[in-house]
């Protein structure tokens, strides 16, 4: 996550530094900024593969499903607010929202276990 913050801050500083940048440069910065988050998703996937204990794997699967459901609920409501012109734009950080919901889902799943 430190790499993500450094890449994001550096990329945004560079992109908004006042100089004119080409579209390809901005696309490259966007993709490079996404790599650390993609790495977190990959790490979670690998955790599913590496967990030997079936019960712990079940809890992680429930946590992931709950986080996905909460995120989809937030995005769906927000998009309908957008359709009805209540808000101008929708959430733009889906991955970050999902990671936050993954953290919120963990104690809920373990409490109900």
């Amino acid at each position: 996550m430190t790499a993500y913050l450094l890449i994001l801050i550096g990329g945004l500083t560079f992109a908004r530094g006042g100089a004119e940048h080409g579209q390809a440069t901005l696309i490259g910065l966007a993709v490079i900024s996404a790599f650390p988050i993609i790495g977190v998703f990959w790490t979670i996937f690998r955790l599913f593969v590496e967990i030997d204990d079936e019960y712990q794997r079940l809890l992680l699967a429930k946590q992931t499903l709950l986080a996905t459901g909460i995120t989809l609920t937030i995005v769906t409501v927000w998009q309908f607010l957008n359709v009805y012109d209540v808000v101008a734009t929708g959430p733009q950080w889906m991955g970050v929202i999902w990671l936050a919901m993954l953290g919120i889902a963990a104690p809920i799943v373990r409490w109900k276990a």
Side-chain angles (χ1 to χ4, degrees), residues 24-94:
T25 302
L26 297 176
I27 291 171
L29 286 172
V31 171
I32 290 169
S33 297
F35 281 151
I37 299 295
I38 294 167
V40 171
F41 295 148
W42 179 255
T43 301
I44 292 169
F45 168 74
R46 290 301 309 161
L47 183 58
F48 272 113
V49 173
E50 297 294 328
I51 292 178
D52 292 331
D53 187 340
E54 291 86 9
Y55 181 68
Q56 292 300 319
R57 188 178 304 135
L58 172 70
L59 291 179
L60 182 61
K62 285 182 175 183
Q63 178 183 349
T64 304
L65 286 171
L66 181 58
T68 303
I70 294 170
T71 302
L72 289 172
T73 300
I74 291 169
V75 172
T76 300
V77 169
W78 198 284
Q79 290 306 310
F80 276 110
L81 290 171
N82 190 357
V83 166
Y84 288 101
D85 294 325
V86 177
V87 296
T89 63
Q92 299 180 9
W93 299 88
M94 298 309 152

Side-chain angles (χ1 to χ4, degrees), residues 11-28:
L12 288 174
T13 303
F14 176 77
R16 296 180 179 167
E20 196 63 34
H21 303 292
Q23 192 73 13
T25 302
L26 297 176
I27 291 171

